[in-house]
Amino acid sequence: MIKAGIIGATGYAGGELVRILLGHKEVELKWYGSKSYIGQKYAEVYRNMFQLVENICSDDDIAKLAEEVDVIFTATPQGYLAGLLTEGILEKAKVIDLSADYRIQDVAVYEAWYKLTHKSPQFLKEAVYGLCEKNREAVKGARLVANPGCYPTCSYLTVAPLVQAGYLDLHTLIIDAKSGTSGAGRGAKVDNLYCEVNENIKAYGVAAHRHTPEIEEQLGYAAGEPVTLNFTPHLVPMNRGILITAYAVVKEGVTEAMLREAYEQAYGSEKFVRFLEPGVCPQTKWVEGSNYVDVNVVLDNRTGRVIMMGAMDNLVKGAAGQAVQNMNLMFGFPEDTGLNLVPMFP
Amino acid sequence: MIKAGIIGATGYAGGELVRILLGHKEVELKWYGSKSYIGQKYAEVYRNMFQLVENICSDDDIAKLAEEVDVIFTATPQGYLAGLLTEGILEKAKVIDLSADYRIQDVAVYEAWYKLTHKSPQFLKEAVYGLCEKNREAVKGARLVANPGCYPTCSYLTVAPLVQAGYLDLHTLIIDAKSGTSGAGRGAKVDNLYCEVNENIKAYGVAAHRHTPEIEEQLGYAAGEPVTLNFTPHLVPMNRGILITAYAVVKEGVTEAMLREAYEQAYGSEKFVRFLEPGVCPQTKWVEGSNYVDVNVVLDNRTGRVIMMGAMDNLVKGAAGQAVQNMNLMFGFPEDTGLNLVPMFP
Amino acid sequence: MIKAGIIGATGYAGGELVRILLGHKEVELKWYGSKSYIGQKYAEVYRNMFQLVENICSDDDIAKLAEEVDVIFTATPQGYLAGLLTEGILEKAKVIDLSADYRIQDVAVYEAWYKLTHKSPQFLKEAVYGLCEKNREAVKGARLVANPGCYPTCSYLTVAPLVQAGYLDLHTLIIDAKSGTSGAGRGAKVDNLYCEVNENIKAYGVAAHRHTPEIEEQLGYAAGEPVTLNFTPHLVPMNRGILITAYAVVKEGVTEAMLREAYEQAYGSEKFVRFLEPGVCPQTKWVEGSNYVDVNVVLDNRTGRVIMMGAMDNLVKGAAGQAVQNMNLMFGFPEDTGLNLVPMFP
Amino acid sequence: MIKAGIIGATGYAGGELVRILLGHKEVELKWYGSKSYIGQKYAEVYRNMFQLVENICSDDDIAKLAEEVDVIFTATPQGYLAGLLTEGILEKAKVIDLSADYRIQDVAVYEAWYKLTHKSPQFLKEAVYGLCEKNREAVKGARLVANPGCYPTCSYLTVAPLVQAGYLDLHTLIIDAKSGTSGAGRGAKVDNLYCEVNENIKAYGVAAHRHTPEIEEQLGYAAGEPVTLNFTPHLVPMNRGILITAYAVVKEGVTEAMLREAYEQAYGSEKFVRFLEPGVCPQTKWVEGSNYVDVNVVLDNRTGRVIMMGAMDNLVKGAAGQAVQNMNLMFGFPEDTGLNLVPMFP
């Protein structure tokens, strides 16, 4: 049994970490950090936790926290962890960062897209990008894991098998993404009010969303060459779920059978990525509350393009679930411990 | 490890039974009965179960099923089980019926409200009304459990402590209920189409809903005298959740402290009923996906009336979760086995 | 053609006033007052108004506004207008106040429920409570109209015919109300975020909602005696709509026919109140976007109680539509000018 | 004043036609055709129309209808009108067909995508494709108008200015579309139940949706050469609204200013297409209930691609509103008669 602490426990991703860790038999959750609610009962901030969590929200003292726990999850704004992380902390506790601070290896790219100065680039090399299905072995030995963004996780898992197989004309790659509103966080903003989101859909961050370079970097590794693509997220009137619809021209001679074979190869032995049967389009509701990503692919012979689709719960595989999956790898637990969450439908 | 079968596995309550039983370490689910989908893969009917359930939907042959399993869940239309149940079946397998067939002791009342002839009233006496918090001991020894209706479960648990305490003028009792749409089932009806339910609220079954006599009978036991009340359900644009708002005049001399004490007494040692802190109104989202019922009470000194509130997930504590809770009792498992479902928020 | 100005034009009720007045052939809208958006284009705050409204948001200078327009709508927080209103203003412009400042005749009651000191009680006597169907003649001559609250409008119109007819035991009256989220306004609060409201229902303001004394006062006039009742509002995951479900014991000898006759009498010649056919329950979607209130009634012979139901769009008949209806009466326009809005379904 | 009849008046598009025509001062609606509800009061099928429409649903006798009215709207399944239309009918009444029967000039293409034999191809040449902003002059003289599909209307208006300007590499054009659920019609299907659509998003008809050839044909006219593209629709949990996100590589030398100029040129004098200010992404809620289409464009210099966005109410500009706009053109009424519908927000 290990001890864990969360900094940023009162955001939606933090809340989901609590939900999952309460069902994890190897973890005792000791620290509910929350700048905004210090001293308040956690179960008053998330009343679903009434009688399940008796703890009080603590200050965000990461140095002290590192003394008390084996693993720290940071579900904090960009730049927060980078400003505080020290070698001393990493010597005492493993850190799984749900922010973007250590996801992008090129500091200049990070600083350009995030409009921040990176305060601790010295840890970038050590940080492992925690996309478990991709970097499983590296995660096992890591002290610092950069937990991937929600869009990058779903985008990568949806597209990577064909990139790796070398089947796509990479210059033609476009990712059109749709997300539920929990991805926007629990901050009180007019744009996220019920009446503004309900019965509405819009694109946002067009050609400017900060998950773009993260997706490009990871797909670049898969391709063995730099990838530049269009990524357009949309806000959908639902709480949870990300759907990716990606398009690319396939190289001459690539057949539907080859496409399917590439996915089978990639995911045949993966528990949390489900390659659907031919003709079945992924639906976010089919994975809600679970750590699964459902993917499928259609080849359009008329246009020579492949349509790749992926669905995921943004708070689980897109945040807290993957963080726990990383923790399992880092501590040698079976990878699915605490993650046998059956999708809830309807 | 026991073996279980479901008749009516492809309705929403049936699907929720599957979700919960997949996480129950003492149960192996052997039979997915579904008249409408015989021969089809269950995971094609509920694609959230892809790679989790490999079974094919079977015919509804309850006699054969009784040979193969230890417990049968029937999530079937009213009158179905009553038309098929035999002593032979009950000798071989325990039965938990999610329909209304054995909930109401008075056959005439059942037949009047359900417009059906009861085909096997001989089992009514034996059947135990499976409201676990109320009839725990009787359930333990039962062969046949009548799993309560969703509205009756939430209504009873919300109101009963004050009825039992004798604090209410029973002639003034009114229950105004609000339910998500999964309660209406998965049948293809225009009234339940997305566009008809979304952005809409209505009452239905006014002064005529079939859960009324069930609520009255159970509250009558709590009161020690017959109860006649108004029950008005409403359809709310959400998938899951029931909220009960109940009103009654309190007897002279009853104070807020006495009211709270009655709930503390009733639920202080109950795991699945959470009596909230003063001033906190239950919300359905706080119990979504879980077996909890959240209740609270407000005394309005201006009117002398108490407002009793209860929130529950209609598919869990209101159907499949309570059915599993009953099964646990019947087979001697810890009552919460497989039911440690943390509510999902948001 | 008259000139109109709005103070508080960027709240949801203000926005709805703009929507309706743009289609009103007798009104030119000259002033879009908004403390929060002074100097900004109105169509940037409500982009549905792009190319329809070219105006800039103005300061809330009511004295100056009174010089420029014939009628002022105040869709402002409680206490705002009471703090500014003068005889001079009323001499220059008619005022229709969508806040609660002049709705309640008894200052002590207002101050107790609103926790405010009333700054200009001298106008209370003059103010006409603008429930058009009730006070039509008085509104015609008014300089100052207190536009009713959303819940009081729907509650009154649903219940009043039976109160006036003397058919109800008034001590038994209970109003259970359900509202869409636009009633909570456009302020940025966590409680009104999409993810907090969606897939959720709750009661709020139990035994304490400020519309209670307003409803009691108006029903008291209808009854000819004081009325004390329970009023419980609920927040429903939809943008628009209020549904009222009201309960009361009917007096001995009152029949369903008598109940229906009372509604026919009350609303037979009313355009905006539609008394539905027997057995049809009002639905908020059937009146969405329109000035209609749909009402119906069921007598439950088992309990001796009547269930009264009413549905309305809270932003139209519950706010902006009724304000325009009042304006039409005050200026001698046909009462339905600009209000022939056909409900939008689905 | 002209007389109008609708065949298929009880579908969602038919219902929207009724809503709009009730506010059209030049039209008297005489005939509510509905195979499924013959003899029933229309206001019982759409209760929003209570006291607004007294008519009974009639049989679908188009020959008889042609005798009685000046214009017939057919909101019927594909193949229906093609099987019934005669020269005699067109001599008596103008016909506006909301189905796909006369939208596609190439019979073979129609038959391949719709899996139907076209029963009256002889009218194809005469039929005018009623995209008003494109074919305004031709519509004025038409007897038979093929009212465009919802996706094609929004896709065309979003993309055409750049196609016409010759700025796009047409081989790279991709249209990713998102639609509310009313587009799926009022038929009772499990897939369209509230619980299946709510909190869910999916692609459907991938590489196979029947609006594809219609979009390609119309954009082909704009381009002066054949266009082949990818079109992927998605089902979004909302009642109304279509959002188009389209992608294409721009030709060398094309600048953001040139792009904006192309839209200004195309829509500067169009009432119903609003070209938004730079940086503003269209939202479906901003046009809900109205005949507007909001469009905007972003050039991504990193990828050399343009992102074109368009939002529309699928039942208004995507169906009934455009049908009325066509009618106005055909009968010489001002084009916006009855269509000055201010978008409803929220």
Side-chain angles (χ1 to χ4, degrees):
Chain A
M1 195 109 174
I2 61 170
K3 291 173 185 160
I6 303 172
I7 300 187
T10 54
Y12 287 141
E16 191 71 355
L17 264 173
V18 174
R19 177 175 83 93
I20 294 172
L21 291 176
L22 286 183
H24 195 296
K25 62 182 203 286
E26 303 288 355
V27 178
E28 188 187 3
L29 193 43
K30 302 287 287 183
W31 183 290
Y32 294 75
S34 170
K35 219 179 250 183
S36 322
Y37 296 97
I38 297 171
Q40 205 169 333
K41 288 185 73 172
Y42 187 77
E44 286 175 8
V45 183
Y46 283 113
R47 291 193 185 271
N48 53 325
M49 297 303 177
F50 184 61
Q51 294 181 356
L52 298 176
V53 177
E54 297 299 335
N55 302 58
I56 304 293
C57 293
S58 316
D59 195 357
D60 286 353
D61 185 343
I62 191 169
K64 189 168 162 231
L65 176 53
E67 309 268 1
E68 300 186 14
V69 299
D70 303 292
V71 60
I72 298 169
F73 296 93
T74 46
T76 43
Q78 324 305 335
Y80 174 90
L81 182 61
L84 292 177
L85 191 61
T86 62
E87 179 61 26
I89 289 166
L90 286 176
E91 280 167 7
K92 290 180 204 130
K94 292 177 190 281
V95 175
I96 300 172
D97 179 28
L98 282 76
S99 87
D101 285 0
Y102 303 99
R103 292 181 194 156
I104 293 173
Q105 284 298 314
D106 186 331
V107 180
V109 170
Y110 172 89
E111 296 189 338
W113 286 80
Y114 283 89
K115 325 261 185 238
L116 286 172
T117 303
H118 201 300
K119 298 284 179 50
S120 55
Q122 70 273 21
F123 294 114
L124 276 172
K125 219 167 224 154
E126 172 174 2
V128 175
Y129 187 74
L131 192 40
C132 314
E133 285 74 14
K134 177 175 184 288
N135 297 332
R136 183 168 282 130
E137 293 313 311
V139 169
K140 285 179 184 170
R143 296 193 303 175
L144 171 60
V145 162
N147 207 60
C150 52
Y151 287 126
T153 296
C154 200
S155 298
Y156 184 88
L157 293 171
T158 301
V159 171
L162 300 190
V163 170
Q164 273 167 319
Y167 289 167
L168 305 183
D169 176 350
L170 294 172
H171 297 98
T172 65
L173 186 55
I174 291 171
I175 296 175
D176 189 284
K178 297 89 177 166
S179 175
T181 306
S182 59
R186 214 190 189 192
K189 293 180 195 162
V190 168
D191 278 357
N192 297 333
L193 289 177
Y194 183 83
C195 290
E196 310 282 318
V197 173
N198 184 41
E199 282 290 292
N200 198 4
I201 184 168
K202 65 174 177 186
Y204 67 97
V206 177
H209 194 278
R210 302 186 298 184
H211 282 171
T212 309
E214 184 181 337
I215 300 169
E216 290 178 341
E217 178 177 337
Q218 296 303 320
L219 287 177
Y221 298 139
E225 57 175 301
V227 170
T228 306
L229 51 74
N230 272 100
F231 170 70
T232 312
H234 297 76
L235 189 70
V236 178
M238 56 187 195
N239 282 9
R240 289 166 179 251
I242 280 182
L243 185 75
I244 295 294
T245 316
Y247 303 86
V249 172
V250 296
K251 291 193 181 154
E252 185 110 26
V254 173
T255 63
E256 179 118 13
M258 289 161 67
L259 298 174
R260 296 199 70 79
E261 178 60 23
Y263 282 91
E264 297 284 5
Q265 287 261 345
Y267 301 131
S269 58
E270 287 296 344
K271 172 165 186 171
F272 291 125
V273 187
R274 306 191 296 190
F275 181 49
L276 303 182
E277 290 166 1
V280 177
C281 293
Q283 303 192 13
T284 57
K285 191 71 188 165
W286 293 340
V287 294
E288 190 174 327
S290 83
N291 201 47
Y292 294 104
V293 183
D294 282 2
V295 299
N296 212 344
V297 66
V298 172
L299 178 59
D300 185 354
N301 286 309
R302 294 174 64 251
T303 63
R305 257 184 225 107
V306 66
I307 299 101
M308 297 156 278
M309 297 170 284
M312 183 191 79
D313 186 321
N314 58 305
L315 292 180
V316 189
K317 182 63 178 171
Q322 184 150 261
V324 171
Q325 195 179 350
N326 278 312
M327 181 195 74
N328 289 340
L329 289 169
M330 294 161 91
F331 287 88
F333 306 138
E335 192 173 331
D336 62 355
T337 312
L339 293 171
N340 285 301
L341 307 157
V342 181
M344 198 167 90
F345 184 98
Chain B
M1 193 111 173
I2 61 170
K3 290 172 187 163
I6 302 173
I7 300 188
T10 54
Y12 288 140
E16 190 72 354
L17 263 172
V18 174
R19 177 175 83 94
I20 294 172
L21 291 175
L22 286 183
H24 195 295
K25 61 182 204 279
E26 304 287 355
V27 178
E28 188 186 4
L29 193 43
K30 301 287 287 182
W31 183 291
Y32 294 74
S34 170
K35 221 179 248 181
S36 322
Y37 297 96
I38 297 171
Q40 203 169 334
K41 288 185 72 171
Y42 187 76
E44 287 175 8
V45 183
Y46 282 113
R47 291 193 184 270
N48 53 324
M49 296 304 176
F50 184 60
Q51 294 182 355
L52 298 176
V53 176
E54 297 299 335
N55 302 59
I56 303 293
C57 293
S58 316
D59 195 359
D60 285 353
D61 185 343
I62 191 168
K64 190 169 161 230
L65 177 53
E67 309 269 1
E68 299 186 15
V69 300
D70 302 293
V71 60
I72 298 170
F73 296 92
T74 47
T76 44
Q78 324 305 334
Y80 174 90
L81 182 61
L84 293 177
L85 193 62
T86 63
E87 178 61 26
I89 289 166
L90 286 177
E91 280 167 6
K92 290 182 203 128
K94 293 176 190 283
V95 175
I96 300 172
D97 179 28
L98 282 74
S99 88
D101 285 1
Y102 302 99
R103 291 181 194 156
I104 292 173
Q105 284 298 314
D106 186 331
V107 180
V109 170
Y110 171 90
E111 296 189 338
W113 286 80
Y114 285 89
K115 325 266 185 232
L116 286 171
T117 304
H118 201 300
K119 299 282 178 49
S120 55
Q122 71 272 21
F123 295 114
L124 276 172
K125 220 169 219 152
E126 172 174 2
V128 175
Y129 187 76
L131 191 41
C132 314
E133 285 75 13
K134 176 174 184 288
N135 296 333
R136 183 168 283 129
E137 292 313 312
V139 169
K140 286 179 184 170
R143 295 193 305 174
L144 172 60
V145 161
N147 206 59
C150 52
Y151 287 126
T153 296
C154 200
S155 297
Y156 184 88
L157 292 171
T158 301
V159 172
L162 301 190
V163 170
Q164 273 167 321
Y167 290 167
L168 304 183
D169 176 350
L170 294 173
H171 296 97
T172 65
L173 186 54
I174 290 170
I175 296 175
D176 188 284
K178 297 89 178 167
S179 175
T181 306
S182 58
R186 213 190 189 193
K189 294 180 195 161
V190 168
D191 279 357
N192 297 333
L193 289 177
Y194 183 83
C195 289
E196 310 283 318
V197 173
N198 184 41
E199 283 290 294
N200 198 4
I201 184 168
K202 65 174 177 186
Y204 68 98
V206 177
H209 194 279
R210 302 185 299 184
H211 282 172
T212 310
E214 184 181 338
I215 299 169
E216 290 177 343
E217 179 177 337
Q218 297 302 321
L219 286 176
Y221 299 138
E225 58 175 298
V227 171
T228 306
L229 51 74
N230 272 100
F231 170 71
T232 313
H234 298 77
L235 189 70
V236 178
M238 55 187 195
N239 283 9
R240 289 166 179 251
I242 280 182
L243 185 75
I244 294 295
T245 315
Y247 303 86
V249 172
V250 296
K251 292 192 181 153
E252 183 108 27
V254 173
T255 63
E256 179 118 15
M258 290 162 67
L259 298 174
R260 297 200 70 79
E261 177 61 21
Y263 281 91
E264 297 285 4
Q265 286 261 344
Y267 300 131
S269 57
E270 287 295 344
K271 172 165 186 171
F272 291 125
V273 188
R274 307 191 294 191
F275 181 48
L276 303 182
E277 289 165 2
V280 178
C281 293
Q283 304 192 12
T284 57
K285 191 71 188 164
W286 293 341
V287 294
E288 191 174 328
S290 83
N291 202 46
Y292 295 104
V293 183
D294 282 2
V295 299
N296 213 344
V297 67
V298 171
L299 178 60
D300 185 355
N301 286 310
R302 293 173 64 251
T303 64
R305 259 185 224 107
V306 65
I307 299 101
M308 297 156 279
M309 297 170 282
M312 182 191 80
D313 186 321
N314 58 305
L315 291 180
V316 188
K317 183 63 178 174
Q322 184 149 262
V324 171
Q325 195 179 352
N326 277 311
M327 181 196 73
N328 289 340
L329 290 168
M330 293 161 91
F331 286 88
F333 306 138
E335 192 172 333
D336 62 355
T337 312
L339 293 171
N340 286 301
L341 307 157
V342 181
M344 200 167 88
F345 184 96
Chain C
M1 193 109 174
I2 62 169
K3 289 172 186 160
I6 302 172
I7 299 188
T10 54
Y12 287 141
E16 190 71 355
L17 263 173
V18 173
R19 179 176 83 95
I20 294 173
L21 291 175
L22 286 183
H24 195 296
K25 61 183 205 282
E26 304 287 356
V27 177
E28 188 186 4
L29 193 42
K30 302 287 288 182
W31 182 292
Y32 294 75
S34 170
K35 221 179 249 184
S36 322
Y37 296 96
I38 298 171
Q40 205 169 334
K41 288 186 72 170
Y42 187 77
E44 287 175 7
V45 183
Y46 282 113
R47 291 193 185 272
N48 54 324
M49 296 304 177
F50 184 60
Q51 294 182 356
L52 298 175
V53 176
E54 297 298 335
N55 303 57
I56 302 293
C57 292
S58 316
D59 196 358
D60 285 353
D61 185 343
I62 192 170
K64 189 168 161 230
L65 176 53
E67 309 269 1
E68 300 185 16
V69 299
D70 303 293
V71 61
I72 298 170
F73 296 92
T74 47
T76 43
Q78 324 306 334
Y80 174 89
L81 182 61
L84 293 177
L85 192 62
T86 62
E87 178 62 28
I89 289 166
L90 286 177
E91 279 166 6
K92 288 179 204 132
K94 292 177 191 284
V95 174
I96 300 172
D97 179 29
L98 281 76
S99 89
D101 285 0
Y102 302 100
R103 291 180 193 157
I104 292 173
Q105 283 299 314
D106 186 330
V107 180
V109 171
Y110 171 90
E111 296 189 338
W113 287 79
Y114 285 89
K115 325 267 184 228
L116 285 172
T117 304
H118 201 301
K119 298 283 179 50
S120 56
Q122 69 273 20
F123 295 114
L124 276 172
K125 222 170 220 153
E126 171 173 3
V128 175
Y129 187 75
L131 191 40
C132 313
E133 285 74 13
K134 176 175 183 288
N135 297 332
R136 184 168 281 127
E137 293 313 310
V139 169
K140 285 179 185 170
R143 296 192 304 175
L144 172 61
V145 162
N147 207 59
C150 52
Y151 287 125
T153 296
C154 200
S155 298
Y156 184 88
L157 293 171
T158 302
V159 172
L162 300 190
V163 171
Q164 274 166 319
Y167 289 167
L168 305 183
D169 175 351
L170 294 173
H171 297 97
T172 66
L173 186 55
I174 290 170
I175 297 175
D176 189 284
K178 296 90 178 168
S179 174
T181 306
S182 59
R186 213 190 191 194
K189 293 179 196 162
V190 168
D191 279 356
N192 297 332
L193 289 177
Y194 183 82
C195 289
E196 310 283 318
V197 173
N198 184 42
E199 282 290 292
N200 199 3
I201 183 168
K202 65 174 177 186
Y204 67 98
V206 177
H209 194 279
R210 303 187 297 186
H211 282 172
T212 310
E214 184 181 337
I215 299 170
E216 290 178 343
E217 178 176 339
Q218 296 303 320
L219 287 177
Y221 299 139
E225 58 174 301
V227 170
T228 306
L229 50 75
N230 271 101
F231 170 71
T232 313
H234 298 76
L235 189 69
V236 179
M238 56 187 196
N239 283 8
R240 289 166 179 253
I242 280 181
L243 184 75
I244 295 294
T245 315
Y247 304 86
V249 172
V250 296
K251 291 191 181 154
E252 184 111 27
V254 173
T255 63
E256 178 119 13
M258 290 162 68
L259 298 174
R260 297 199 70 79
E261 178 60 22
Y263 282 90
E264 296 285 5
Q265 286 262 344
Y267 300 132
S269 57
E270 287 296 344
K271 173 165 185 169
F272 291 124
V273 187
R274 306 191 296 190
F275 181 49
L276 302 182
E277 290 166 2
V280 178
C281 293
Q283 302 192 12
T284 57
K285 192 72 189 162
W286 293 342
V287 294
E288 190 174 326
S290 83
N291 202 47
Y292 294 104
V293 183
D294 282 2
V295 298
N296 212 344
V297 67
V298 171
L299 179 59
D300 184 355
N301 286 310
R302 293 172 65 252
T303 63
R305 260 185 223 106
V306 66
I307 299 102
M308 298 156 277
M309 297 170 283
M312 182 190 80
D313 187 322
N314 58 305
L315 292 180
V316 188
K317 183 64 178 173
Q322 184 148 263
V324 170
Q325 195 179 352
N326 277 313
M327 181 196 74
N328 288 340
L329 290 168
M330 293 161 90
F331 287 89
F333 305 137
E335 192 173 330
D336 63 354
T337 312
L339 293 171
N340 285 302
L341 306 157
V342 181
M344 200 166 89
F345 184 97
Chain D
M1 193 109 174
I2 62 170
K3 290 172 186 162
I6 302 172
I7 299 187
T10 54
Y12 287 140
E16 190 72 355
L17 263 173
V18 173
R19 178 176 82 94
I20 294 172
L21 291 175
L22 286 182
H24 195 295
K25 62 184 204 287
E26 304 287 355
V27 178
E28 189 185 4
L29 193 44
K30 302 286 288 182
W31 183 290
Y32 295 75
S34 169
K35 219 178 250 182
S36 322
Y37 297 97
I38 298 171
Q40 205 170 331
K41 288 186 71 170
Y42 186 77
E44 287 175 8
V45 183
Y46 282 113
R47 290 193 185 272
N48 54 324
M49 297 303 176
F50 184 61
Q51 294 182 356
L52 298 175
V53 176
E54 298 299 334
N55 302 58
I56 303 294
C57 293
S58 315
D59 195 357
D60 285 352
D61 185 343
I62 191 169
K64 190 170 161 229
L65 175 53
E67 309 268 0
E68 299 187 15
V69 301
D70 303 292
V71 60
I72 298 170
F73 296 93
T74 47
T76 45
Q78 324 305 333
Y80 174 89
L81 182 61
L84 292 178
L85 192 62
T86 62
E87 177 62 26
I89 288 166
L90 286 177
E91 278 167 8
K92 288 180 204 129
K94 292 177 191 284
V95 175
I96 299 172
D97 179 28
L98 281 76
S99 88
D101 285 0
Y102 302 100
R103 290 180 194 158
I104 292 173
Q105 283 298 313
D106 186 331
V107 180
V109 170
Y110 172 90
E111 296 188 339
W113 286 80
Y114 284 89
K115 324 265 184 231
L116 285 172
T117 304
H118 201 299
K119 297 285 179 48
S120 56
Q122 69 273 20
F123 295 114
L124 276 172
K125 220 168 223 158
E126 171 173 2
V128 175
Y129 187 75
L131 191 40
C132 314
E133 285 73 15
K134 176 175 183 289
N135 297 331
R136 184 169 282 127
E137 292 312 311
V139 169
K140 286 180 184 170
R143 295 192 305 175
L144 172 60
V145 161
N147 207 60
C150 52
Y151 287 126
T153 296
C154 199
S155 296
Y156 184 88
L157 293 171
T158 301
V159 171
L162 301 190
V163 170
Q164 273 168 319
Y167 289 166
L168 305 182
D169 176 350
L170 294 173
H171 298 96
T172 65
L173 187 55
I174 290 170
I175 297 176
D176 189 284
K178 296 90 178 167
S179 175
T181 306
S182 59
R186 214 190 190 193
K189 293 180 195 159
V190 169
D191 279 355
N192 298 332
L193 289 177
Y194 182 82
C195 289
E196 309 283 318
V197 173
N198 184 41
E199 283 290 292
N200 199 3
I201 183 168
K202 65 173 177 186
Y204 67 99
V206 178
H209 194 279
R210 302 186 299 185
H211 282 171
T212 310
E214 184 181 337
I215 299 170
E216 290 179 343
E217 178 177 338
Q218 297 302 321
L219 286 177
Y221 298 139
E225 58 174 300
V227 171
T228 306
L229 50 73
N230 272 100
F231 170 71
T232 313
H234 297 77
L235 189 70
V236 178
M238 57 187 194
N239 282 8
R240 290 166 178 251
I242 281 182
L243 185 74
I244 295 294
T245 315
Y247 303 87
V249 172
V250 295
K251 292 193 181 153
E252 183 110 25
V254 172
T255 64
E256 178 118 15
M258 289 162 69
L259 298 174
R260 297 200 70 78
E261 178 60 22
Y263 282 91
E264 296 285 4
Q265 286 261 344
Y267 300 132
S269 57
E270 287 295 344
K271 173 164 186 170
F272 290 125
V273 187
R274 305 192 295 191
F275 181 50
L276 302 182
E277 289 165 3
V280 178
C281 292
Q283 303 192 13
T284 57
K285 192 70 187 165
W286 292 341
V287 294
E288 190 174 327
S290 82
N291 202 47
Y292 293 104
V293 182
D294 282 2
V295 297
N296 213 343
V297 67
V298 171
L299 178 59
D300 184 355
N301 285 310
R302 293 173 64 252
T303 63
R305 262 186 220 102
V306 66
I307 300 102
M308 299 156 277
M309 297 170 283
M312 182 190 80
D313 186 321
N314 59 305
L315 291 180
V316 188
K317 183 63 177 173
Q322 184 149 262
V324 171
Q325 194 179 352
N326 277 312
M327 182 196 73
N328 288 340
L329 289 168
M330 293 161 92
F331 286 88
F333 306 138
E335 192 173 331
D336 62 353
T337 312
L339 292 172
N340 285 301
L341 306 157
V342 181
M344 200 165 90
F345 184 97

